[in-house]
Every structure is written in C-alpha cells, then in structure tokens.
Amino acid sequence: QFASAAEFHETVLVQGTSRMNRLDSLPIARGATLTMKPGGIHIMLIELNASMAAGDSVALVIHLADGRTTSNRT
C-alpha cells in the first residue's frame, strides 16, 4: 500500500486561515460531476509509505455507497 489511508477533505477559510476538514461522506447526485482540486474538495493520503514528487501519481479506487467502484485509472 502506498498510504495507510485516503480521506476526503475540504479546504475552508476560518478567520483568514485555511483549514482542511475531513468529510465522512461526499454525496454526489446521480449524473452530477464533482471536480476535486487543491483549495477545495480533495483526497488526502495519510501516512505515506514512500515519498512523492510533483507530477507523481498514485492509483485510487473509490467505493460508492451503492456498491459500485470508480478509479482514476482507465
């Protein structure tokens, strides 16, 4: 495993300071699109087992509530 966990986070501004809040779920309406990006909703990798450099990528599989999965690899 590349990391011990992967979590959804959302960056919010609190009294002029950016903070990242962990999201326990991420409801997305059927047919809707969610764009993840730095400074917004993103996936945070926790306790990396290797270092990463700019431009590196890692394969992720997201398990959806209805039992389906989606991946960032095709």
Side-chain angles (χ1 to χ4, degrees), residues 48-74:
L48 299 180
N49 295 313
S51 59
M52 291 185 78
D56 287 351
S57 64
V58 63
L60 297 174
V61 176
I62 299 172
H63 298 271
L64 305 174
D66 65 4
R68 294 179 300 139
T69 61
T70 185
S71 172
N72 65 328
R73 303 282 190 208
T74 56

Side-chain angles (χ1 to χ4, degrees), residues 4-62:
S4 65
E7 300 175 349
F8 290 110
H9 282 242
E10 180 176 28
T11 304
V12 294
L13 194 60
V14 177
Q15 297 179 352
T17 302
S18 290
R19 301 207 183 262
M20 286 179 268
N21 292 337
R22 181 174 174 248
L23 302 173
D24 292 326
S25 65
L26 191 56
I28 304 169
R30 184 174 296 276
T33 300
L34 172 71
T35 301
M36 293 188 199
K37 60 184 177 182
I41 295 174
H42 57 279
I43 297 173
M44 180 178 287
L45 301 175
I46 309 297
E47 296 180 12
L48 299 180
N49 295 313
S51 59
M52 291 185 78
D56 287 351
S57 64
V58 63
L60 297 174
V61 176
I62 299 172

